[in-house]
Amino acid sequence: MKYGIYSIRDAAAGVFTAPTIDLTDESAIRAFSQAVNNSGSMMNFVPSDFSLYRIGTLEIESGQIEPISPPAMLVCGDRLVKVVIENED
């Protein structure tokens, strides 16, 4: 079975973060979305600076890693920002 290897690119710093492993692109996007929408995270402060990339795959039975070149951009942080409407009582 293959898992995806993902990294977040910080455009302002010009670097990729340490990679993580997830079951699918969709579950990696969900985790990235949670980080982007966490009011205490840097990604929430400037979500347009951050993008999620699939950088490879991991075959879990053999341990083989296959890089993807160039990395595949899945989504930019600003596309995942949830609008919070506050109740005006």
Side-chain angles (χ1 to χ4, degrees), residues 24-41:
T24 64
D25 289 354
E26 293 77 15
S27 59
I29 290 168
R30 180 178 56 212
F32 180 53
S33 177
Q34 288 174 336
V36 166
N37 287 288
N38 176 345
S39 63
S41 91

Side-chain angles (χ1 to χ4, degrees), residues 46-65:
V46 189
S48 61
D49 281 355
F50 300 92
S51 298
L52 178 66
Y53 285 79
R54 184 176 355 95
I55 61 170
T57 59
L58 168 67
E59 171 53 61
I60 63 168
E61 280 106 28
S62 68
Q64 283 253 348
I65 293 175

